[in-house]
Amino acid sequence: MQSQEKLAREIRSLAAERKAVILAHNYQRGEIQDVADFTGDSLGLSQAAASADAKVIVFCGVHFMAESAAILSPEKTVLLPRLDAGCPMADMITAEGLLKAREENPGVPVVTYVNSSAAVKAVSDICCTSANAVKVTKSTGAKKVFLAPDRNLAQWVAKNTEQEIIWWNGFCPSHERLTVEDVKKARAENPGAPFLAHPECRPEVVNLADEVFSTSGMIRWCKNSTAETVIIGTEEGILHQLKKDSPKKFFVLASQKLFCPNMKLTTLEDVLEALEKMENVVFVKEDVRVRAEKTLRKMIEAGRD
Ligand code: 13P
Ligand code: SF4
């Protein structure tokens, strides 16, 4: 077996040869985050995919993220080192299901979380991420808005806008596992430590939070905070960047259950193989791509909350 350092060197050299940029989500394994050109949250990675000066994008994340890159940069080759890295929440909604919901709610704009397929985006009005869901929803100017597919994100938005919010009944199984009891226990063990929650957590968990952020929002907040200990309510991969930024601070995962198996599939060997073979290319049918691109571009224009 090759050492991680040797694999990382080979990846960097082959990426340069192929004019490839490596993007990694904040939940990826530490060694994958370290080999990437850019790490970030879903919004940051979409922005990077749209503006990358490269021929190839190697997307270390899950399928919908690579698909968004392919939608935004059709002239580039987008590789997903593990084609089996999916998102169970994105699989909880189909374009047919959303079209039916639209029929049942005529005239109600649909804001769709990027954690969805290209086909679902293509039948939506605008996309959002956890970093701009409130801003995007307000930007519709509508009295009533339909949010899909995350019911927890929708309820977080409902708390932060005067608009009436209705939603699709999807959720992230990894964040859903975090309970009020887990947070209370973490707080009791770390008195005075702030608790940060991701809006994919259950509403009753979000209600306990001192701050609610996307993953990059949490990273920025922790870097600037004077708190010595912070309780983290999102997937454990984020700890890598948090510890790198603030080696003297203590980060407590609110529960060991905060783990996304799909985000952990990609290894350095997979990244090297994808670059060597130039396989695992993510394609989106052109008619779907064009419609989905409109919804993603509007999201990028909206910026962060
Ligand atoms: P963000 O990094 O955009 O907060 O996304 C969280 C997530 O669950 C991605 O799958
Ligand atoms: Fe999907 Fe949740 Fe995993 Fe993100 S953390 S990829 S929302 S299952």
Side-chain angles (χ1 to χ4, degrees):
M1 212 173 78
Q2 296 198 58
S3 76
Q4 290 202 341
E5 290 75 23
K6 187 159 180 284
L7 277 168
R9 273 199 306 276
E10 285 185 29
I11 290 170
R12 292 306 331 160
S13 135
L14 197 52
E17 213 175 285
R18 300 260 196 252
K19 297 197 176 5
V21 65
I22 302 175
L23 308 183
H25 188 266
N26 291 324
Y27 295 157
Q28 289 287 291
R29 293 167 185 251
E31 62 272 23
I32 296 287
Q33 295 189 38
D34 289 343
V35 85
D37 293 285
F38 184 87
T39 57
D41 63 3
S42 308
L43 185 59
L45 293 172
S46 296
Q47 289 163 335
S51 62
D53 180 18
K55 281 196 167 156
V56 177
I57 296 176
V58 183
F59 213 114
C60 303
V62 292
H63 191 270
F64 75 81
M65 297 180 169
E67 204 177 48
S68 293
I71 292 167
L72 289 163
S73 287
E75 72 292 352
K76 296 182 190 122
T77 303
V78 178
L79 305 177
L80 180 64
R82 286 293 293 253
L83 283 178
D84 52 345
C87 169
M89 166 156 44
D91 294 340
M92 289 179 191
I93 186 167
T94 60
E96 293 69 34
L98 184 54
L99 283 171
K100 189 160 177 287
R102 290 195 80 124
E103 257 173 51
E104 288 160 7
N105 296 281
V108 177
V110 173
V111 173
T112 295
Y113 196 27
V114 278
N115 300 40
S116 53
S117 68
V120 167
K121 289 181 177 83
V123 294
S124 305
D125 293 299
I126 182 167
C127 283
C128 74
T129 75
S130 57
N132 65 6
V134 174
K135 196 171 183 183
V136 164
T137 304
K138 286 182 179 167
S139 80
T140 63
K143 280 205 173 108
K144 188 174 177 179
V145 182
F146 190 96
L147 261 88
D150 188 356
R151 65 183 180 207
N152 294 343
L153 182 73
Q155 287 172 84
W156 160 245
V157 171
K159 256 184 83 171
N160 289 282
T161 169
E162 300 291 301
Q163 292 153 293
E164 184 190 345
I165 307 297
I166 51 174
W167 55 80
W168 189 267
N169 197 23
F171 60 91
C172 162
S174 303
H175 286 86
E176 187 80 2
R177 284 196 284 272
L178 181 64
T179 63
V180 166
E181 289 66 39
D182 294 326
V183 177
K184 286 190 174 158
K185 186 165 174 281
R187 277 207 193 276
E189 287 167 2
N190 300 278
F195 166 55
L196 310 188
H198 194 278
E200 287 177 17
C201 293
R202 297 161 184 257
E204 60 270 28
V205 167
V206 169
N207 282 341
L208 297 178
D210 295 286
E211 304 284 349
V212 181
F213 289 123
S214 76
T215 54
S216 291
M218 282 189 196
I219 289 170
R220 262 189 290 275
W221 189 92
C222 289
K223 213 173 170 178
N224 297 325
S225 160
T226 53
E228 284 171 11
T229 303
V230 185
I231 303 168
I232 301 295
T234 195
E235 209 274 344
E236 65 87 38
I238 197 175
L239 297 175
H240 182 72
Q241 189 62 43
L242 292 174
K243 288 178 189 164
K244 251 173 107 168
D245 285 347
S246 313
K248 293 200 173 126
K249 291 180 187 161
F250 188 49
F251 298 102
V252 180
L253 202 62
S255 160
Q256 294 308 314
K257 295 174 283 184
L258 284 163
F259 183 84
C260 173
N262 286 285
M263 279 288 184
K264 295 298 167 329
L265 284 175
T266 310
T267 62
L268 288 174
E269 282 86 353
D270 295 325
V271 177
L272 185 60
E273 195 179 332
L275 275 166
E276 276 167 354
K277 296 188 178 160
M278 292 296 284
E279 284 175 358
N280 292 8
V281 178
V282 175
F283 287 110
V284 182
K285 266 176 55 199
E286 187 60 9
D287 61 322
V288 174
R289 191 198 68 76
V290 170
R291 284 181 291 140
E293 184 178 10
K294 285 192 189 132
T295 66
L296 279 172
R297 295 255 170 226
K298 284 196 230 168
M299 170 193 89
I300 291 175
E301 271 164 38
R304 291 182 181 269
D305 272 342

